[in-house]
Amino acid sequence: MPYRAPLRDFAFLLDQIVGFDQVRATERFTEATPETTQAILTEAARLAEEIMAPLQRVGDLHPARLENGVVRTPPGFAEAFGAIAEGGWLGLAASPDHGGMGLPQTLATAVNDMMASACLALQLAPLMAQGQIEALEHHASAEIKALYLPKLVSGEWLGTMNLTEPHAGSDVGALRTKAEPNEDGSYAITGQKIFISWADNDFTENVCHLVLARLPDGGEGTRGISLFMVPKFIPDATGNPGTRNSLRVISLEHKLGLHGSPTAVMEYDRATGWLVGAPHKGMAAMFTMMNNARVGVGVQGIGVAEGAYQQALAYALDRRQGKTPQGGSGAIIAHADVRRMLAQIKAEIFAIRAIALANSTAIDMASATGFEEWAARAALLTPITKAHGTDIGVETAGMGIQIHGGMGFIEETGAAQYLRDVRVTTIYEGTNGIQAMDLVGRKMMDGGEAAFRLLQEIEDGAEAARAQLPDLAEPVWQAAESLREATEWLVAQEMPDRFAGATCYLRAFARVLGAHYHLKAAQTGEDARRALAQVFITRILPDHAACLAALRAGAEGLYALSDEDLAA
């Protein structure tokens, strides 16, 4: 079954669920009219369906490779990226000051969702550029902005982020890459970075690396790290690629999935770079790119879930096996357990897609209004979007294989590729465990105020729905109240106990949020929306109770097992 963008769901979510009308009402985003929104999503759908989706299997069967120091990308990737660049998709949410469209991040999220469904390996390239564009807009000097942003927005140049080193994964503060001042105000960057997505290609004029490194007077840990722009080719006096910089791709990783996307080991040997942001404040600048990428990576999980669902649905409608209790065509979609898996996947996708779009709406409202409450809402939802979005991507891709039965384990069907490709998303941009710890730690430094505001909205919404949908509204209200009580317990605990239950708490929060959005959808009166909401609220929402029970177990039981006990 060819991929088909879920335009109806996007329109429904934007118009009736996540409050996108508030974004349109701001002075900054007045151009995001319903007509413009429809045109953007329709054209993005065409790009995803017709240009990117045919490359899904191509990238898997013809991986990116390194030949004599040159990265070669899969057949068709160069042309498809050219179409992405020509359409202005890299600069959809970028400032018009440097050639961007200046449209809401919420629309960029919907577009990224479609592109990730179509071909995740290729979609990762524009996603990296989008994050770098935002980081430069917020932190770079006027000179760097003027030189790099127009080229990144146009897609003539591509951007990357260089954090991880062989000895320092999530512990970025342990990095050893150094930056030494040059007499002309630039810096000499020396070190090695690993896991660099789209570190090079054979279709853009230049590749712009944002590299974390330590100045000679930089202290230990993350507080002593600075951020540098280190291009593959040093721009000449006219702003065009000039001298080759002293950096290179040492090797490409042999990965479980995402074969079409080159993931490199990079070496910098006194490469010329320029400071981005203030000295020793590199993590603050890089976090701008990372937070952009965290939402984007969560959306990748959603996109893969959609692609896996569409393929599994097509197989279930066509495959005939055994006698089905409901009769009909005899296809396996009539078997109760197959139908359960399909219904669960569809309900999960709607819930997490709503969370991601609500997250992006909060980001847009924060940037358009400057109101702290919107910024706090966006910050609270970001780790949930990233972690739960990617978890759902992995879980639903696995169910997609299950629906295929034995054929799902056969590579030729393409079902397994979705699971292989999406698996890394739970790891990069901060593992999902780190996202959960961020939620219960940094995001609760306000005593849970942002969380309580959101929970109050959920309870108020459930109260308002009681008269119309009492069977659905009551369990949502009860779940929100349980989560409120758990949050009150959480903020009173020390960090070890918070961290021990962090993953469970994040999942519980996502379950309650998903139920809230499904309940809103059911209130529109559409029978299909109500039926799907019932699937989520009766079959999936109860998971939150088990998660909250695990949360309250604390850390003691985990550390009661010694290292020797675990090894026995």
Side-chain angles (χ1 to χ4, degrees), residues 380-421:
L380 180 76
L381 292 178
T382 293
I384 299 175
T385 296
K386 194 280 176 181
H388 198 64
T390 55
D391 279 345
I392 292 303
V394 172
E395 292 168 20
T396 57
M399 277 193 281
I401 292 174
Q402 192 71 17
I403 290 166
H404 280 77
M407 294 306 295
F409 203 67
I410 304 303
E411 285 289 354
E412 282 78 1
T413 65
Q417 183 185 342
Y418 287 109
L419 182 56
R420 289 189 288 102
D421 283 355

mmCIF file of all heavy atoms in Angstrom, residues 380-421:
data_model
loop_
_atom_site.group_PDB
_atom_site.id
_atom_site.type_symbol
_atom_site.label_atom_id
_atom_site.label_comp_id
_atom_site.label_asym_id
_atom_site.label_seq_id
_atom_site.Cartn_x
_atom_site.Cartn_y
_atom_site.Cartn_z
ATOM 1 N N LEU A 380 7.397 21.558 29.425
ATOM 2 C CA LEU A 380 6.840 20.361 30.060
ATOM 3 C C LEU A 380 6.527 19.283 29.033
ATOM 4 O O LEU A 380 6.790 18.087 29.263
ATOM 5 C CB LEU A 380 5.564 20.738 30.824
ATOM 6 C CG LEU A 380 4.846 19.594 31.549
ATOM 7 C CD1 LEU A 380 5.598 19.221 32.819
ATOM 8 C CD2 LEU A 380 3.406 19.984 31.880
ATOM 9 N N LEU A 381 5.984 19.682 27.897
ATOM 10 C CA LEU A 381 5.549 18.709 26.898
ATOM 11 C C LEU A 381 6.688 18.159 26.056
ATOM 12 O O LEU A 381 6.558 17.083 25.467
ATOM 13 C CB LEU A 381 4.495 19.339 25.987
ATOM 14 C CG LEU A 381 3.141 19.652 26.628
ATOM 15 C CD1 LEU A 381 2.216 20.328 25.623
ATOM 16 C CD2 LEU A 381 2.486 18.390 27.179
ATOM 17 N N THR A 382 7.815 18.871 25.983
ATOM 18 C CA THR A 382 8.902 18.430 25.101
ATOM 19 C C THR A 382 9.446 17.048 25.455
ATOM 20 O O THR A 382 9.554 16.182 24.575
ATOM 21 C CB THR A 382 10.020 19.477 25.052
ATOM 22 O OG1 THR A 382 9.528 20.658 24.404
ATOM 23 C CG2 THR A 382 11.236 18.968 24.292
ATOM 24 N N PRO A 383 9.808 16.755 26.712
ATOM 25 C CA PRO A 383 10.287 15.397 26.989
ATOM 26 C C PRO A 383 9.214 14.332 26.790
ATOM 27 O O PRO A 383 9.522 13.187 26.440
ATOM 28 C CB PRO A 383 10.754 15.468 28.447
ATOM 29 C CG PRO A 383 10.055 16.657 29.022
ATOM 30 C CD PRO A 383 9.905 17.620 27.906
ATOM 31 N N ILE A 384 7.943 14.701 27.000
ATOM 32 C CA ILE A 384 6.855 13.739 26.774
ATOM 33 C C ILE A 384 6.727 13.440 25.288
ATOM 34 O O ILE A 384 6.594 12.280 24.878
ATOM 35 C CB ILE A 384 5.528 14.275 27.351
ATOM 36 C CG1 ILE A 384 5.658 14.482 28.859
ATOM 37 C CG2 ILE A 384 4.380 13.314 27.040
ATOM 38 C CD1 ILE A 384 4.435 15.130 29.510
ATOM 39 N N THR A 385 6.786 14.476 24.466
ATOM 40 C CA THR A 385 6.713 14.279 23.017
ATOM 41 C C THR A 385 7.850 13.399 22.537
ATOM 42 O O THR A 385 7.644 12.443 21.775
ATOM 43 C CB THR A 385 6.766 15.630 22.286
ATOM 44 O OG1 THR A 385 5.611 16.404 22.639
ATOM 45 C CG2 THR A 385 6.789 15.443 20.778
ATOM 46 N N LYS A 386 9.069 13.714 22.982
ATOM 47 C CA LYS A 386 10.228 12.958 22.509
ATOM 48 C C LYS A 386 10.172 11.510 22.965
ATOM 49 O O LYS A 386 10.290 10.578 22.152
ATOM 50 C CB LYS A 386 11.524 13.619 22.999
ATOM 51 C CG LYS A 386 12.788 13.107 22.296
ATOM 52 C CD LYS A 386 13.303 11.785 22.831
ATOM 53 C CE LYS A 386 14.495 11.291 22.027
ATOM 54 N NZ LYS A 386 15.011 9.993 22.493
ATOM 55 N N ALA A 387 10.009 11.295 24.252
ATOM 56 C CA ALA A 387 10.096 9.934 24.778
ATOM 57 C C ALA A 387 8.895 9.085 24.378
ATOM 58 O O ALA A 387 9.042 7.964 23.877
ATOM 59 C CB ALA A 387 10.238 9.975 26.306
ATOM 60 N N HIS A 388 7.694 9.615 24.598
ATOM 61 C CA HIS A 388 6.522 8.796 24.297
ATOM 62 C C HIS A 388 6.331 8.650 22.792
ATOM 63 O O HIS A 388 5.909 7.587 22.320
ATOM 64 C CB HIS A 388 5.272 9.391 24.945
ATOM 65 C CG HIS A 388 4.135 8.412 25.043
ATOM 66 N ND1 HIS A 388 4.205 7.270 25.805
ATOM 67 C CD2 HIS A 388 2.912 8.398 24.438
ATOM 68 C CE1 HIS A 388 3.070 6.592 25.690
ATOM 69 N NE2 HIS A 388 2.275 7.251 24.864
ATOM 70 N N GLY A 389 6.658 9.699 22.033
ATOM 71 C CA GLY A 389 6.539 9.588 20.586
ATOM 72 C C GLY A 389 7.408 8.482 20.029
ATOM 73 O O GLY A 389 6.984 7.692 19.171
ATOM 74 N N THR A 390 8.630 8.385 20.507
ATOM 75 C CA THR A 390 9.536 7.355 19.997
ATOM 76 C C THR A 390 9.194 5.977 20.566
ATOM 77 O O THR A 390 9.311 4.969 19.869
ATOM 78 C CB THR A 390 10.997 7.716 20.294
ATOM 79 O OG1 THR A 390 11.169 7.941 21.693
ATOM 80 C CG2 THR A 390 11.395 8.982 19.549
ATOM 81 N N ASP A 391 8.761 5.933 21.837
ATOM 82 C CA ASP A 391 8.315 4.651 22.397
ATOM 83 C C ASP A 391 7.151 4.088 21.589
ATOM 84 O O ASP A 391 7.113 2.891 21.271
ATOM 85 C CB ASP A 391 7.883 4.821 23.856
ATOM 86 C CG ASP A 391 9.050 4.841 24.823
ATOM 87 O OD1 ASP A 391 10.166 4.454 24.433
ATOM 88 O OD2 ASP A 391 8.853 5.258 25.987
ATOM 89 N N ILE A 392 6.199 4.944 21.260
ATOM 90 C CA ILE A 392 5.040 4.488 20.493
ATOM 91 C C ILE A 392 5.462 4.076 19.092
ATOM 92 O O ILE A 392 4.943 3.107 18.521
ATOM 93 C CB ILE A 392 3.957 5.589 20.443
ATOM 94 C CG1 ILE A 392 3.355 5.794 21.841
ATOM 95 C CG2 ILE A 392 2.865 5.244 19.434
ATOM 96 C CD1 ILE A 392 2.761 4.549 22.469
ATOM 97 N N GLY A 393 6.437 4.790 18.516
ATOM 98 C CA GLY A 393 6.946 4.379 17.210
ATOM 99 C C GLY A 393 7.491 2.963 17.235
ATOM 100 O O GLY A 393 7.192 2.146 16.352
ATOM 101 N N VAL A 394 8.284 2.647 18.259
ATOM 102 C CA VAL A 394 8.862 1.310 18.379
ATOM 103 C C VAL A 394 7.774 0.268 18.638
ATOM 104 O O VAL A 394 7.734 -0.793 17.993
ATOM 105 C CB VAL A 394 9.909 1.281 19.509
ATOM 106 C CG1 VAL A 394 10.370 -0.145 19.790
ATOM 107 C CG2 VAL A 394 11.112 2.154 19.146
ATOM 108 N N GLU A 395 6.877 0.571 19.573
ATOM 109 C CA GLU A 395 5.838 -0.401 19.940
ATOM 110 C C GLU A 395 4.896 -0.693 18.773
ATOM 111 O O GLU A 395 4.529 -1.847 18.524
ATOM 112 C CB GLU A 395 5.059 0.111 21.145
ATOM 113 C CG GLU A 395 5.884 0.147 22.425
ATOM 114 C CD GLU A 395 5.200 0.916 23.550
ATOM 115 O OE1 GLU A 395 3.960 1.086 23.484
ATOM 116 O OE2 GLU A 395 5.890 1.360 24.480
ATOM 117 N N THR A 396 4.485 0.330 18.074
ATOM 118 C CA THR A 396 3.537 0.119 16.986
ATOM 119 C C THR A 396 4.202 -0.523 15.772
ATOM 120 O O THR A 396 3.568 -1.319 15.065
ATOM 121 C CB THR A 396 2.857 1.438 16.587
ATOM 122 O OG1 THR A 396 3.853 2.395 16.237
ATOM 123 C CG2 THR A 396 2.014 1.982 17.714
ATOM 124 N N ALA A 397 5.467 -0.197 15.516
ATOM 125 C CA ALA A 397 6.176 -0.878 14.430
ATOM 126 C C ALA A 397 6.293 -2.368 14.742
ATOM 127 O O ALA A 397 6.197 -3.212 13.841
ATOM 128 C CB ALA A 397 7.552 -0.259 14.223
ATOM 129 N N GLY A 398 6.489 -2.699 16.024
ATOM 130 C CA GLY A 398 6.517 -4.100 16.423
ATOM 131 C C GLY A 398 5.178 -4.775 16.217
ATOM 132 O O GLY A 398 5.100 -5.920 15.747
ATOM 133 N N MET A 399 4.097 -4.072 16.533
ATOM 134 C CA MET A 399 2.764 -4.626 16.291
ATOM 135 C C MET A 399 2.498 -4.776 14.801
ATOM 136 O O MET A 399 1.789 -5.690 14.372
ATOM 137 C CB MET A 399 1.697 -3.760 16.952
ATOM 138 C CG MET A 399 1.502 -4.052 18.425
ATOM 139 S SD MET A 399 0.005 -3.321 19.110
ATOM 140 C CE MET A 399 0.547 -1.632 19.325
ATOM 141 N N GLY A 400 3.054 -3.864 14.008
ATOM 142 C CA GLY A 400 2.893 -3.991 12.567
ATOM 143 C C GLY A 400 3.486 -5.284 12.053
ATOM 144 O O GLY A 400 2.902 -5.962 11.191
ATOM 145 N N ILE A 401 4.646 -5.661 12.578
ATOM 146 C CA ILE A 401 5.255 -6.946 12.219
ATOM 147 C C ILE A 401 4.346 -8.090 12.650
ATOM 148 O O ILE A 401 4.126 -9.057 11.914
ATOM 149 C CB ILE A 401 6.645 -7.081 12.866
ATOM 150 C CG1 ILE A 401 7.619 -6.080 12.252
ATOM 151 C CG2 ILE A 401 7.180 -8.508 12.718
ATOM 152 C CD1 ILE A 401 8.976 -6.048 12.926
ATOM 153 N N GLN A 402 3.794 -7.987 13.859
ATOM 154 C CA GLN A 402 2.933 -9.043 14.391
ATOM 155 C C GLN A 402 1.703 -9.252 13.516
ATOM 156 O O GLN A 402 1.276 -10.393 13.286
ATOM 157 C CB GLN A 402 2.508 -8.693 15.823
ATOM 158 C CG GLN A 402 1.854 -9.830 16.585
ATOM 159 C CD GLN A 402 2.839 -10.924 16.953
ATOM 160 O OE1 GLN A 402 4.047 -10.704 16.927
ATOM 161 N NE2 GLN A 402 2.339 -12.087 17.286
ATOM 162 N N ILE A 403 1.136 -8.173 13.025
ATOM 163 C CA ILE A 403 -0.041 -8.277 12.157
ATOM 164 C C ILE A 403 0.316 -9.012 10.867
ATOM 165 O O ILE A 403 -0.490 -9.788 10.332
ATOM 166 C CB ILE A 403 -0.608 -6.876 11.872
ATOM 167 C CG1 ILE A 403 -1.242 -6.305 13.158
ATOM 168 C CG2 ILE A 403 -1.642 -6.906 10.739
ATOM 169 C CD1 ILE A 403 -1.537 -4.825 13.102
ATOM 170 N N HIS A 404 1.531 -8.799 10.377
ATOM 171 C CA HIS A 404 1.975 -9.507 9.177
ATOM 172 C C HIS A 404 2.233 -10.991 9.452
ATOM 173 O O HIS A 404 2.372 -11.768 8.497
ATOM 174 C CB HIS A 404 3.273 -8.892 8.643
ATOM 175 C CG HIS A 404 3.090 -7.645 7.853
ATOM 176 N ND1 HIS A 404 2.841 -6.418 8.439
ATOM 177 C CD2 HIS A 404 3.134 -7.413 6.504
ATOM 178 C CE1 HIS A 404 2.751 -5.495 7.495
ATOM 179 N NE2 HIS A 404 2.925 -6.065 6.327
ATOM 180 N N GLY A 405 2.342 -11.380 10.723
ATOM 181 C CA GLY A 405 2.684 -12.757 11.028
ATOM 182 C C GLY A 405 4.089 -13.077 10.561
ATOM 183 O O GLY A 405 4.986 -12.236 10.619
ATOM 184 N N GLY A 406 4.293 -14.276 10.066
ATOM 185 C CA GLY A 406 5.622 -14.690 9.621
ATOM 186 C C GLY A 406 6.188 -13.790 8.537
ATOM 187 O O GLY A 406 7.405 -13.569 8.471
ATOM 188 N N MET A 407 5.316 -13.251 7.696
ATOM 189 C CA MET A 407 5.800 -12.383 6.623
ATOM 190 C C MET A 407 6.389 -11.079 7.159
ATOM 191 O O MET A 407 7.189 -10.444 6.475
ATOM 192 C CB MET A 407 4.672 -12.086 5.632
ATOM 193 C CG MET A 407 4.195 -13.302 4.860
ATOM 194 S SD MET A 407 5.531 -14.185 4.004
ATOM 195 C CE MET A 407 6.042 -12.929 2.828
ATOM 196 N N GLY A 408 6.010 -10.708 8.357
ATOM 197 C CA GLY A 408 6.572 -9.503 8.942
ATOM 198 C C GLY A 408 8.044 -9.643 9.259
ATOM 199 O O GLY A 408 8.770 -8.648 9.344
ATOM 200 N N PHE A 409 8.475 -10.888 9.432
ATOM 201 C CA PHE A 409 9.880 -11.168 9.763
ATOM 202 C C PHE A 409 10.724 -11.306 8.506
ATOM 203 O O PHE A 409 11.939 -11.444 8.583
ATOM 204 C CB PHE A 409 9.951 -12.453 10.594
ATOM 205 C CG PHE A 409 11.188 -12.573 11.435
ATOM 206 C CD1 PHE A 409 11.416 -11.715 12.503
ATOM 207 C CD2 PHE A 409 12.140 -13.546 11.164
ATOM 208 C CE1 PHE A 409 12.567 -11.835 13.276
ATOM 209 C CE2 PHE A 409 13.285 -13.679 11.932
ATOM 210 C CZ PHE A 409 13.502 -12.809 12.993
ATOM 211 N N ILE A 410 10.080 -11.258 7.367
ATOM 212 C CA ILE A 410 10.767 -11.378 6.083
ATOM 213 C C ILE A 410 11.035 -9.981 5.548
ATOM 214 O O ILE A 410 10.118 -9.181 5.379
ATOM 215 C CB ILE A 410 9.913 -12.183 5.074
ATOM 216 C CG1 ILE A 410 9.560 -13.561 5.657
ATOM 217 C CG2 ILE A 410 10.647 -12.327 3.747
ATOM 218 C CD1 ILE A 410 10.744 -14.401 6.059
ATOM 219 N N GLU A 411 12.286 -9.690 5.276
ATOM 220 C CA GLU A 411 12.669 -8.328 4.925
ATOM 221 C C GLU A 411 11.979 -7.799 3.668
ATOM 222 O O GLU A 411 11.735 -6.604 3.537
ATOM 223 C CB GLU A 411 14.193 -8.235 4.745
ATOM 224 C CG GLU A 411 14.975 -8.264 6.054
ATOM 225 C CD GLU A 411 14.815 -6.988 6.868
ATOM 226 O OE1 GLU A 411 14.196 -6.023 6.389
ATOM 227 O OE2 GLU A 411 15.316 -6.965 8.003
ATOM 228 N N GLU A 412 11.661 -8.693 2.730
ATOM 229 C CA GLU A 412 11.087 -8.227 1.471
ATOM 230 C C GLU A 412 9.757 -7.507 1.648
ATOM 231 O O GLU A 412 9.376 -6.690 0.799
ATOM 232 C CB GLU A 412 10.913 -9.408 0.497
ATOM 233 C CG GLU A 412 12.181 -9.855 -0.179
ATOM 234 C CD GLU A 412 13.082 -10.701 0.706
ATOM 235 O OE1 GLU A 412 12.699 -10.967 1.865
ATOM 236 O OE2 GLU A 412 14.173 -11.082 0.252
ATOM 237 N N THR A 413 9.033 -7.781 2.715
ATOM 238 C CA THR A 413 7.746 -7.095 2.908
ATOM 239 C C THR A 413 7.934 -5.638 3.317
ATOM 240 O O THR A 413 7.027 -4.823 3.163
ATOM 241 C CB THR A 413 6.899 -7.792 3.985
ATOM 242 O OG1 THR A 413 7.558 -7.679 5.260
ATOM 243 C CG2 THR A 413 6.665 -9.253 3.652
ATOM 244 N N GLY A 414 9.096 -5.301 3.907
ATOM 245 C CA GLY A 414 9.341 -3.936 4.362
ATOM 246 C C GLY A 414 8.808 -3.629 5.739
ATOM 247 O O GLY A 414 9.058 -2.546 6.275
ATOM 248 N N ALA A 415 8.069 -4.570 6.353
ATOM 249 C CA ALA A 415 7.500 -4.312 7.678
ATOM 250 C C ALA A 415 8.584 -4.171 8.739
ATOM 251 O O ALA A 415 8.491 -3.331 9.641
ATOM 252 C CB ALA A 415 6.528 -5.433 8.061
ATOM 253 N N ALA A 416 9.616 -4.993 8.645
ATOM 254 C CA ALA A 416 10.679 -4.964 9.655
ATOM 255 C C ALA A 416 11.489 -3.678 9.584
ATOM 256 O O ALA A 416 12.054 -3.242 10.592
ATOM 257 C CB ALA A 416 11.592 -6.174 9.478
ATOM 258 N N GLN A 417 11.572 -3.073 8.412
ATOM 259 C CA GLN A 417 12.377 -1.857 8.270
ATOM 260 C C GLN A 417 11.871 -0.741 9.178
ATOM 261 O O GLN A 417 12.667 0.024 9.733
ATOM 262 C CB GLN A 417 12.387 -1.372 6.816
ATOM 263 C CG GLN A 417 13.283 -0.145 6.624
ATOM 264 C CD GLN A 417 13.218 0.438 5.224
ATOM 265 O OE1 GLN A 417 12.782 -0.233 4.277
ATOM 266 N NE2 GLN A 417 13.636 1.684 5.081
ATOM 267 N N TYR A 418 10.559 -0.636 9.322
ATOM 268 C CA TYR A 418 10.028 0.412 10.194
ATOM 269 C C TYR A 418 10.574 0.269 11.612
ATOM 270 O O TYR A 418 10.966 1.254 12.244
ATOM 271 C CB TYR A 418 8.495 0.359 10.217
ATOM 272 C CG TYR A 418 7.851 0.846 8.943
ATOM 273 C CD1 TYR A 418 7.228 -0.047 8.079
ATOM 274 C CD2 TYR A 418 7.861 2.191 8.601
ATOM 275 C CE1 TYR A 418 6.632 0.386 6.899
ATOM 276 C CE2 TYR A 418 7.271 2.643 7.433
ATOM 277 C CZ TYR A 418 6.660 1.739 6.585
ATOM 278 O OH TYR A 418 6.083 2.183 5.426
ATOM 279 N N LEU A 419 10.612 -0.963 12.118
ATOM 280 C CA LEU A 419 11.108 -1.184 13.474
ATOM 281 C C LEU A 419 12.611 -0.936 13.549
ATOM 282 O O LEU A 419 13.100 -0.294 14.486
ATOM 283 C CB LEU A 419 10.792 -2.608 13.930
ATOM 284 C CG LEU A 419 11.219 -2.969 15.350
ATOM 285 C CD1 LEU A 419 10.618 -2.017 16.377
ATOM 286 C CD2 LEU A 419 10.839 -4.407 15.681
ATOM 287 N N ARG A 420 13.355 -1.391 12.549
ATOM 288 C CA ARG A 420 14.809 -1.175 12.564
ATOM 289 C C ARG A 420 15.141 0.314 12.480
ATOM 290 O O ARG A 420 16.041 0.802 13.146
ATOM 291 C CB ARG A 420 15.460 -1.940 11.407
ATOM 292 C CG ARG A 420 15.469 -3.443 11.591
ATOM 293 C CD ARG A 420 16.308 -4.139 10.530
ATOM 294 N NE ARG A 420 15.689 -4.133 9.210
ATOM 295 C CZ ARG A 420 16.030 -3.330 8.215
ATOM 296 N NH1 ARG A 420 16.984 -2.429 8.383
ATOM 297 N NH2 ARG A 420 15.419 -3.400 7.043
ATOM 298 N N ASP A 421 14.413 1.031 11.634
ATOM 299 C CA ASP A 421 14.699 2.452 11.452
ATOM 300 C C ASP A 421 14.370 3.276 12.687
ATOM 301 O O ASP A 421 15.113 4.186 13.059
ATOM 302 C CB ASP A 421 13.903 2.998 10.256
ATOM 303 C CG ASP A 421 14.497 2.603 8.912
ATOM 304 O OD1 ASP A 421 15.577 1.991 8.884
ATOM 305 O OD2 ASP A 421 13.863 2.906 7.882
#
